[in-house]
Amino acid sequence: MAIPKLLFQVSFPIVVSMFIQSMYNLVDSYYIGKINEEAFTAISIAFPIQNIMIGMAVGTGVGMNSLISRYLGEKNFEKSNRVAETGLSLAIIYGIILLIISRFLPRPFLSAQTTNENIINYGVDYLQIVMGLSMGVFMQIFLERLLQSTGRSIFTMLTQLIGAILNIILDPIFIFGYFGLPAMGVKGAAIATVMGQIIGALFGCFFEYKFNEEITIKKPVLDLDIVKRIYVVGVPSMITITIQSFTIYVLNKMLSAISTSAIAALGAYFKIQSFVFMPVFGVNNGLVPIVAYNYGAKNKERIVKSIKLAFLAVTGMMIIVSAIIIIFPRELLSIFSASGKMLEIGIPMLRICALSYIFAGISIVGVAVFQAFGNGILALFDSILRQIIVLLPVAYIAIKFFTVNEIWWGYVIAEFASILFVIYFMNTFVRKN
């Protein structure tokens, strides 16, 4: 198939499904913001833990996806099935581990970032549920990646669509107590989230069994050699997201010295970012199996065409997104019932951070190409450069010597440094392979 048509066909359903996925993240935040700002601040502080959970699932999925696509390109169907069976075992193991640690981790984690007891209690209620019932999200992402690795992105979209719509419907019912149910507040938002993930996983299981003919899963298997191969690619991706979570944790601690409204504003930024980056991640996830397949098939020309087209697409998207955020920051923050103090901090924050998005799209696609080639180490180095070497030092200097507004310029500087890194290694790596 022609590359533009193929990239569109694989990516478009993923773009739609990821928009939907981020929509129910926004809907959660919208309704929780209506409880009060303390509740919204609590889920903002809890975000790094959720992010690490998603990072574990996505990192495993990225490694599995890349490996399966490569084996399919080589027509090695026995190996691709073995990878899928090992991925299933890993999803089950992670769900069990998080169920155990959900009993004792949330409170000390939250207490390390704030002394506000109401915020801590809200956060504990939320995290204990989303961590304890995380089997749903691990299974959902595992099944989505299987479908995606064989080009069945439409079923990935349907899996996420079903889970997201259910979450959106259940959020106000559980949070505010409609149809005779008790008002559960933040707990209700967490229950709606995990229910959406579990139902999405069940539909993903159906689609995999019924329509994914290239992959057959007979039983969970833990093949240690395949685990190693998955995490050669996946661990750097997991560490990358863990670094992001660590960065948010440190920034929250820095901002707590200013006010809880500053933490809430940062939380709103990440909610908006998770939404506006969805088109880029959609192209990104569509690009990985195309590049990995053609890498296995040793078709360099199609690899280069795919990368160039992805760069053009995401750059156009990010220019449009940046313009919207710069023009309408107040309206975007109002989604979260922002207080006057949160608006005072958040409006300049969004306008400054929006400038970084133009660079960020290209960096994200570059990292996807490294992963598709089976080299996640470069993706890890890029994350360390952006968040540890550049962003955190700039934020520390800004808080120490300037005002809160200067913190956000760290994002612009970090993304510019990242794009230089990605372009340099992209040229080197593509020529070499």
Side-chain angles (χ1 to χ4, degrees):
M1 190 183 295
I3 289 296
K5 183 179 179 181
L6 178 62
L7 185 60
F8 178 81
Q9 183 171 306
V10 176
S11 298
F12 182 73
I14 304 174
V15 171
V16 173
S17 65
M18 295 189 82
F19 259 131
I20 295 162
Q21 194 82 359
S22 62
M23 269 299 297
Y24 79 72
N25 193 2
L26 277 179
V27 169
D28 263 0
S29 304
Y30 170 77
Y31 286 119
I32 290 172
K34 287 189 173 297
I35 298 172
N36 55 50
E37 191 172 296
E38 287 180 331
F40 181 77
T41 303
I43 64 166
S44 298
I45 292 176
F47 178 72
I49 292 288
Q50 278 188 286
N51 205 40
I52 289 173
M53 287 167 46
I54 298 297
M56 292 161 63
V58 170
T60 304
V62 164
M64 185 183 72
N65 193 356
S66 177
L67 201 55
I68 288 174
S69 295
R70 199 178 310 167
Y71 284 138
L72 289 175
E74 296 169 359
K75 309 300 181 186
N76 192 336
F77 299 108
E78 183 182 346
K79 275 286 191 181
S80 61
N81 289 340
R82 191 75 170 175
V83 174
E85 290 169 344
T86 300
L88 174 60
S89 297
L90 292 170
I92 294 169
I93 290 167
Y94 282 130
I96 293 170
I97 291 171
L98 280 164
L99 173 61
I100 294 168
I101 66 175
S102 69
R103 298 302 94 194
F104 58 84
L105 178 65
R107 184 167 293 277
F109 174 78
L110 292 153
S111 299
Q113 297 174 80
T114 181
T115 56
N116 185 311
E117 199 61 30
N118 287 336
I119 293 175
I120 292 170
N121 288 333
Y122 280 132
V124 169
D125 287 344
Y126 189 78
L127 278 179
Q128 284 189 336
I129 293 170
V130 297
M131 291 175 68
L133 297 175
S134 63
M135 185 75 75
V137 71
F138 280 100
M139 291 301 298
Q140 184 180 15
I141 291 174
F142 160 72
L143 291 160
E144 286 169 2
R145 293 290 173 164
L146 282 187
L147 293 163
Q148 182 187 325
S149 67
T150 57
R152 288 171 171 81
S153 301
I154 187 68
F155 294 115
T156 298
M157 181 185 75
L158 289 174
T159 299
Q160 291 191 341
L161 178 63
I162 291 163
I165 289 175
L166 181 64
N167 177 266
I168 290 168
I169 293 169
L170 293 180
D171 253 337
I173 296 172
F174 289 167
I175 292 172
F176 302 114
Y178 297 142
F179 306 112
L181 292 174
M184 291 182 278
V186 170
K187 282 185 179 179
I191 292 169
T193 295
V194 297
M195 283 187 67
Q197 291 164 348
I198 291 168
I199 297 300
L202 290 174
F203 274 91
C205 187
F206 171 75
F207 294 142
E208 166 62 27
Y209 175 76
K210 191 74 175 175
F211 300 107
N212 203 353
E213 297 172 357
E214 283 89 344
I215 294 176
T216 302
I217 299 176
K218 294 179 179 178
K219 61 181 179 179
V221 171
L222 198 62
D223 186 317
L224 295 182
D225 180 61
I226 288 176
V227 170
K228 178 183 175 183
R229 290 172 181 269
I230 286 173
Y231 287 118
V232 164
V233 178
V235 163
S237 182
M238 292 167 70
I239 296 174
T240 296
I241 295 177
T242 301
I243 289 170
Q244 183 191 43
S245 298
F246 172 75
T247 302
I248 297 168
Y249 173 82
V250 173
L251 286 173
N252 282 340
K253 286 183 72 71
M254 289 181 184
L255 293 171
S256 65
I258 300 171
S259 71
T260 57
S261 292
I263 297 174
L266 182 66
Y269 163 70
F270 281 111
K271 299 294 182 183
I272 293 167
Q273 183 195 65
S274 70
F275 181 74
V276 300
F277 274 22
M278 286 306 108
V280 175
F281 290 136
V283 173
N284 193 39
N285 287 332
L287 183 66
V288 168
I290 295 172
V291 172
Y293 185 96
N294 284 288
Y295 182 51
K298 304 188 185 306
N299 193 329
K300 184 174 180 179
E301 182 183 354
R302 285 174 68 81
I303 291 172
V304 173
K305 283 183 180 178
S306 300
I307 294 170
K308 286 181 177 178
L309 182 61
F311 275 144
L312 288 172
V314 300
T315 301
M317 290 175 188
M318 288 296 96
I319 289 171
I320 294 169
V321 164
S322 297
I324 292 170
I325 293 174
I326 290 169
I327 296 169
F328 302 110
R330 181 180 295 273
E331 289 76 9
L332 291 170
L333 289 168
S334 296
I335 294 170
F336 311 107
S337 304
S339 65
K341 184 67 175 175
M342 186 173 161
L343 287 171
E344 181 185 339
I345 295 170
I347 288 174
M349 172 194 70
L350 286 185
R351 284 180 169 151
I352 293 168
C353 289
L355 298 174
S356 71
Y357 289 176
I358 299 170
F359 307 124
I362 293 175
S363 297
I364 291 168
V365 171
V367 166
V369 174
F370 298 151
Q371 291 169 336
F373 282 149
N375 190 328
I377 297 298
L378 288 175
L380 173 60
F381 285 164
D382 176 69
S383 182
I384 292 171
L385 171 68
R386 281 189 298 114
Q387 301 187 71
I388 304 297
I389 296 176
V390 180
L391 176 58
L392 286 181
V394 171
Y396 177 79
I397 292 168
I399 285 179
K400 198 79 173 173
F401 300 105
F402 300 101
T403 69
V404 68
N405 288 340
E406 276 67 45
I407 294 173
W408 319 121
W409 283 105
Y411 282 98
V412 180
I413 298 168
E415 293 298 348
F416 183 72
S418 173
I419 200 172
L420 296 178
F421 175 91
V422 164
I423 289 173
Y424 173 78
F425 281 102
M426 178 74 67
N427 285 331
T428 303
F429 208 76
V430 171
R431 285 198 194 102
K432 181 181 175 182
N433 290 278

